[in-house]
Amino acid sequence: MLKGEKLKKTFKTGILRSKTISVLNDVDIEIREGETVALIGESGSGKTTLGRVLLMLIKPDSGRVIFEGTDLTKLKRKELKKLRLKMQLIPQNPEDALNPRWKVYDSIAEPLKIHGMYEHERVVEIAKKVGLKREQLSRYPWQLSGGELQRVVIARALIVKPKFVVCDEPTSMLDLSTQATIIRLLMKLQKEMNTSYLFITHDFELAELIADRILEINSGKVKSKN
Amino acid sequence: MEFAQGTIFRSKLLNNNLCLIGFGILAFITLMGVLAPVIAKNPYKTNIAERLEPPNLKHPFGTDQLGRDVYSRVVWGVRTTLLVALTISLMSMSIGCFLGAIAGYFGGIVDDIIGRVIDVFLAIPELVFNIALVGVFCLAYGESIWNVILAVVITNWVSYARIMRGIVLSLKEREFVLCEKALGAGDLYILIRHVMPNAIGPMIVLATLNMGNVIMTIASLGFLGLGIQPPTPEWGQMINAGKNYITTAPWLTFFPGLFIAVSILGFNLLGEGLQEVMDRERIVET
């Protein structure tokens, strides 16, 4: 369903932008429909970059990202916008992932509004699915706990019923008991919606527990690990 | 528990002494300006028989060299100064916020161009630049209040643009902006709906603190004879007219000077108070 072929990404650093750091070095990755692929690696190994490149939030220097037969690197903005409905991101820090000036309801409804398909019922339905209470929808992000915020972020990502979701360490900022409930929630929703996850984590045990396959990223190369 | 962010913010504002004092001073001065037709006499009426009278019951701030009532001129001067200062602030804030936000958000060559323009403006002493601009505008378009307004706006937008750029630079790295991109939102939409509303707080603080500077600049230009032209009552220009009598009739310069000082103090206190409240809010948030 989603394939990354020979992906390369370098960043330039230094005062004169003279140093180049190679983050992704000819990465090949494939994610099939409905499966959970865990991507593990140390911090700074390029896990997050790879996730963002697959979602075309960062353009790769070279290589292709093929999603359902379309090469995303060749698409124009408008064409890519339509495909964004099928690919979503759940970022690491839920406290940072929501606009602090927006009520939770508006944040969840945002994807529908951007794509001109807003329906109140859908917002209420997804909120119920992720376990948010109705009165929590009219609150601001700072009035909710970390776990509740992560539920909001999940609701926002899954309201458009995406085919592919990059979960970028979605539980690393949460305490242990909340981690378990959020993971269980993600797994439950995956079954319901038949979504594929790229689950980025540095926790090997967690990866073993939830993933169909485990990939390890190390100095810009991805190897499968089983 | 249902409570809005606004109510908490309001209660914090009401508990901040700086804010309250600053607001009190400004409310008092503004009220004087609004009620000028009621509480003051005609500021243009000359009476040679009563020229250079010291403060007395009939003329609480005395009279000037043409026998005009200084109190009435000072009170009517509130209108001139506040309206002009407010216009300047709003105009420079809009221009500065817009350019700063674009520079910070889009980066690259846009940022380079706007950044260099800002650097050039910062390199020229503000008042000297203002004087030159007013001179040029006067020659080109004749005398008008808009000469002063435009001249000050041209130098004043820079501080807004610089700070807005910095705020937007940090905001655009936040995850909620990244998520918006992942959701398919366009850049302009993200900038207007998500980034700018989160930057507006510090901008309001800056605008309040900046009002003091603007009032000072207007008064300075007036004092140099380049600002708002007589007979329109304006504080800086009143001081200029009174400086020849400073040893014999000090009230001509004292009262306009006092009003300049007090109104600047009001804006600075309010601005600092707002800053304190917002800083504390940020600490609570994180």
Side-chain angles (χ1 to χ4, degrees), chain A residues 21-36:
Chain A
I21 300 171
S22 172
V23 185
L24 302 178
N25 202 352
D26 280 335
V27 168
D28 290 305
I29 185 169
E30 190 185 358
I31 291 145
R32 289 182 280 267
E33 204 168 324
E35 81 172 338
T36 304

Side-chain angles (χ1 to χ4, degrees), chain A residues 52 55 57 77 81 84 87-89 91-102 110-111 114-115 135 138-140 142-143 156-157, chain B residues 1-5 8 173-187 189 193-195 197-201 281 285-286:
Chain A
R52 289 181 187 180
L55 290 174
L57 290 169
R77 283 184 80 106
K81 183 180 169 181
R84 292 234 179 267
M87 314 160 25
Q88 284 299 320
L89 169 72
Q92 188 170 14
N93 184 355
E95 283 171 22
D96 202 40
L98 297 165
N99 186 339
R101 292 192 174 267
W102 281 29
E110 175 78 344
I114 290 174
H115 293 276
E135 68 265 20
S138 55
R139 296 210 177 137
Y140 286 95
W142 56 277
Q143 292 169 315
R156 179 177 62 181
Chain B
M1 266 203 310
E2 287 292 322
F3 48 89
Q5 204 168 4
I8 293 179
E173 299 301 326
R174 299 270 299 267
E175 278 181 347
F176 68 85
V177 173
L178 185 81
C179 285
E180 284 298 317
K181 283 183 188 158
L183 295 173
D187 282 328
Y189 174 86
R193 294 277 287 155
H194 291 275
V195 175
N198 280 295
I200 213 71
E281 190 171 338
E285 255 178 38
T286 46

Side-chain angles (χ1 to χ4, degrees), chain B residues 40-232:
Chain B
K41 285 172 263 179
N42 184 352
Y44 299 107
K45 204 183 151 211
T46 55
N47 184 353
I48 297 299
E50 285 180 348
R51 70 190 289 263
L52 295 177
E53 269 185 28
N56 54 38
L57 278 179
K58 196 177 166 200
H59 302 292
F61 293 178
T63 60
D64 67 3
Q65 69 282 8
L66 297 173
R68 295 175 296 196
D69 183 31
V70 174
Y71 164 75
S72 305
R73 287 184 68 72
V74 166
V75 170
W76 280 92
V78 170
R79 285 191 170 197
T80 327
T81 303
L82 284 192
L83 279 180
V84 172
L86 212 63
T87 316
I88 290 173
S89 282
L90 283 178
M91 281 172 75
S92 26
M93 186 161 123
S94 326
I95 298 172
C97 284
F98 176 70
L99 290 178
I102 287 183
Y105 188 81
F106 292 104
I109 193 157
V110 184
D111 187 22
D112 285 343
I113 293 171
I114 296 175
R116 291 306 82 73
V117 173
I118 292 177
D119 287 343
V120 169
F121 274 84
L122 284 176
I124 309 170
E126 220 176 297
L127 194 59
V128 179
F129 199 19
N130 284 329
I131 294 168
L133 285 171
V134 174
V136 172
F137 290 154
C138 270
L139 279 178
Y141 307 110
E143 269 172 17
S144 145
I145 212 167
W146 286 98
N147 293 346
V148 182
I149 295 176
L150 285 183
V152 183
V153 167
I154 287 174
T155 53
N156 203 35
W157 65 274
V158 183
S159 49
Y160 292 97
R162 216 177 42 160
I163 299 201
M164 188 69 174
R165 178 181 169 272
I167 298 171
V168 170
L169 270 182
S170 75
L171 277 174
K172 79 168 180 183
E173 299 301 326
R174 299 270 299 267
E175 278 181 347
F176 68 85
V177 173
L178 185 81
C179 285
E180 284 298 317
K181 283 183 188 158
L183 295 173
D187 282 328
L188 209 61
Y189 174 86
I190 297 177
L191 189 59
I192 292 170
R193 294 277 287 155
H194 291 275
V195 175
M196 285 179 73
N198 280 295
I200 213 71
M203 282 299 146
I204 288 171
V205 173
L206 183 67
T208 318
L209 287 170
N210 197 255
M211 277 290 277
N213 286 341
V214 172
I215 291 176
M216 190 65 119
T217 310
I218 298 170
S220 306
L221 288 172
F223 180 75
L224 294 170
L226 292 162
I228 294 142
Q229 295 301 311
T232 312

